[in-house]
Amino acid sequence: MKHLTEMVEQHKRGKTNGVYAVCSAHPLVLEAAIRYAHSQQTPLLIEATSNQVDQFGGYTGMTPADFRGLVCKLAGALGFPASQLILGGDHLGPNRWQNLPALEAMENADDLIKSYVAAGFKKIHLDCSMSCEDDPVPLTDAIVAGRAARLAKIAEATCREQFGVSDLVYVIGTEVPVPGGAHETLTELEITTPEAARATLEAHRHAFEKEGLSDIWPRIIGLVVQPGVEFDHAHVCNYQPQKAIALSEMVEAYNTLVFEAHSTDYQTPQALRHLVKDHFAILKVGPALTFALREALFSLAAIEEELLPAKASSGLRNVLENVMLDQPEHWQSHYHGDSNARRLARGYSYSDRIRYYWPDSQIDDAFGRLIRNLANEPIPLPLISQYLPLQYSKVREGVLKSTPRELILDHIQDVLQQYHVACEGVTTQNA
């Protein structure tokens, strides 16, 4: 994918640029991201994870082809050029099948890779770091790299079969933060050592050589490491550049490689910019975007309660809470403490387990009613000021319509703007 390889080339030449990856399947988040990229005239990288989307449907019910169809339909409707859209697959490997023997889990992973590549996904994160039912714990670098090479070989063959040539780019690495945030309370993270990063690279280089894949090494553009960023339910581990100096300097020796940083959600704009300048040039963001969606919807629900009698309101907050209590499987093992602590976590946790519930029919009905209720009459400006103050300023300036959908999309785009600014890049001389 020339957009990504050119980004890496520019970064290696001293332009402190990067790219952010939108990791969400929510249609409003995807629309906000596409509209924002269109307004900035930049390419857009959207990624699906092996939990969300797989050959069996994942938790979204979508296969890779379904996900591509959703994104392309949105992009087409919004006038976003297909040539500027990049699709990536995240944590592709046996992650979904860790409870199975390795032989069976890897056969499923083979089919997973095929389905992603055949659907036109071009950025592939090979993640075979997890132990399966009959595996040692933890896995050795050699086992992880060998499985990744096996999947890369399938990916290359599938791409050539489907498209005549392979233009895939890859991300490798085993030190992946827990998808969607840590389960436990965090204090301080252990940053990947340069030695561990080099060992991962060398194990993969050797495994790729054994599979006859040495020629694709320049297309391995990213290595996942832990730069010291993560979040749990109520805390964020902020990036501390001085602690990552040795790791940052280590990647300068590799001409076609940058770092990929996961769980960068909720970092400050300054921290995001520092990450990109320190060669963590691929920034993943997901829960922060659905967290912003939830913030906007809770604000609109509060406005609705001020304007309408209870019997006419959507009751979105109550509906959401009741569904989460009736179907606790997506949050129960994550949120702990007494009943009040868990209630607060269900509504406000950085982990944003709410994102698993938006497709529920009862919640979707309440969401639709909320939007209709607030679209019938202009929303009073003082209420927008009270509950969505950042959007209020834009409404007053005449650059934002005060409709529910526009307010939601703009609130999500406030997060995207931080990533865009962090990734813009300037020359080393002007940095």
Side-chain angles (χ1 to χ4, degrees), residues 86 144 415:
I86 310 162
V144 171
V415 178

Side-chain angles (χ1 to χ4, degrees), residues 77-89:
L78 296 167
F80 188 77
S83 61
Q84 296 289 91
L85 187 63
I86 310 162
L87 292 180

Side-chain angles (χ1 to χ4, degrees), residues 46-58:
I46 295 175
E47 300 204 20
T49 72
S50 57
N51 286 329
Q52 289 174 322
V53 173
D54 66 20
Q55 67 269 39
F56 305 113

Side-chain angles (χ1 to χ4, degrees), residues 265-303:
D265 308 72
Y266 314 112
Q267 293 292 311
T268 66
Q270 295 82 3
L272 293 173
R273 183 66 190 133
H274 274 301
L275 280 163
V276 174
K277 290 175 70 174
D278 291 347
H279 311 313
F280 304 97
I282 305 172
L283 303 178
K284 307 295 283 290
V285 56
L289 299 172
T290 46
F291 185 91
L293 167 70
R294 192 272 311 155
E295 284 184 322
L297 287 172
F298 278 20
S299 295
L300 291 174
I303 291 172

Side-chain angles (χ1 to χ4, degrees), residues 65-81:
D66 294 333
F67 185 84
R68 179 180 178 82
L70 169 66
V71 173
C72 289
K73 183 178 179 181
L74 277 171
L78 296 167
F80 188 77

Side-chain angles (χ1 to χ4, degrees), residues 1 4 33 50 100-101 115 139 160 184 194 240 257 268 291 333 347 355 361 382-383 398:
M1 282 261 39
L4 296 178
S50 57
L100 299 177
S115 66
L139 295 178
R160 286 192 296 270
E184 70 282 353
Q240 300 179 57
L257 190 76
T268 66
F291 185 91
S333 64
R355 68 186 185 276
S361 59
L383 291 179

Side-chain angles (χ1 to χ4, degrees), residues 176-188:
V176 182
V178 177
H183 294 190
E184 70 282 353
T185 300
L186 296 173
T187 52
E188 188 173 357

Side-chain angles (χ1 to χ4, degrees), residues 144-367:
V144 171
R147 290 176 180 177
R150 163 181 168 165
L151 297 182
K153 191 169 187 176
I154 292 169
E156 290 291 297
T158 303
C159 198
R160 286 192 296 270
E161 180 183 320
Q162 292 288 321
F163 306 105
V165 64
S166 179
D167 57 351
L168 302 174
V169 295
Y170 296 94
V171 171
I172 58 175
T174 61
E175 298 198 31
V176 182
V178 177
H183 294 190
E184 70 282 353
T185 300
L186 296 173
T187 52
E188 188 173 357
L189 293 170
E190 185 175 338
I191 295 171
T192 303
T193 65
E195 294 76 19
R198 288 191 196 96
T200 295
L201 284 171
E202 290 311 307
H204 281 77
R205 188 192 295 274
H206 180 65
F208 277 53
E209 285 176 355
K210 285 181 65 177
E211 291 288 353
L213 298 171
S214 296
D215 61 319
I216 75 168
W217 194 255
R219 289 190 276 121
I220 300 174
I221 62 167
L223 173 66
V224 176
V225 291
Q226 175 51 271
V229 300
E230 182 58 284
F231 59 91
D232 61 19
H233 308 310
H235 304 92
V236 179
C237 286
N238 297 314
Y239 178 57
Q240 300 179 57
Q242 69 279 9
K243 293 188 176 183
I245 290 173
L247 179 60
S248 174
E249 291 177 346
M250 165 261 165
V251 81
E252 293 173 0
Y254 297 84
N255 293 332
T256 58
L257 190 76
V258 295
F259 289 131
E260 176 167 287
H262 290 223
S263 295
T264 68
D265 308 72
Y266 314 112
Q267 293 292 311
T268 66
Q270 295 82 3
L272 293 173
R273 183 66 190 133
H274 274 301
L275 280 163
V276 174
K277 290 175 70 174
D278 291 347
H279 311 313
F280 304 97
I282 305 172
L283 303 178
K284 307 295 283 290
V285 56
L289 299 172
T290 46
F291 185 91
L293 167 70
R294 192 272 311 155
E295 284 184 322
L297 287 172
F298 278 20
S299 295
L300 291 174
I303 291 172
E304 180 192 38
E305 290 177 3
E306 295 288 352
L307 295 176
L308 297 174
K311 64 181 180 181
S313 294
S314 64
L316 177 67
R317 294 287 305 277
N318 288 333
V319 172
L320 187 58
E321 174 71 355
N322 289 336
V323 170
M324 292 182 77
L325 288 173
D326 288 342
Q327 304 170 32
E329 59 269 18
H330 293 303
W331 62 266
Q332 197 167 42
S333 64
H334 293 257
Y335 299 155
H336 307 290
D338 62 22
S339 60
N340 192 53
R342 296 204 290 176
R343 177 188 62 81
L344 285 171
R346 284 193 296 273
Y348 299 101
S349 169
Y350 281 137
S351 304
D352 190 47
R353 306 300 295 178
I354 285 177
R355 68 186 185 276
Y356 293 91
Y357 292 89
W358 293 121
D360 180 88
S361 59
Q362 297 177 66
I363 295 170
D364 192 51
D365 287 346
F367 162 80

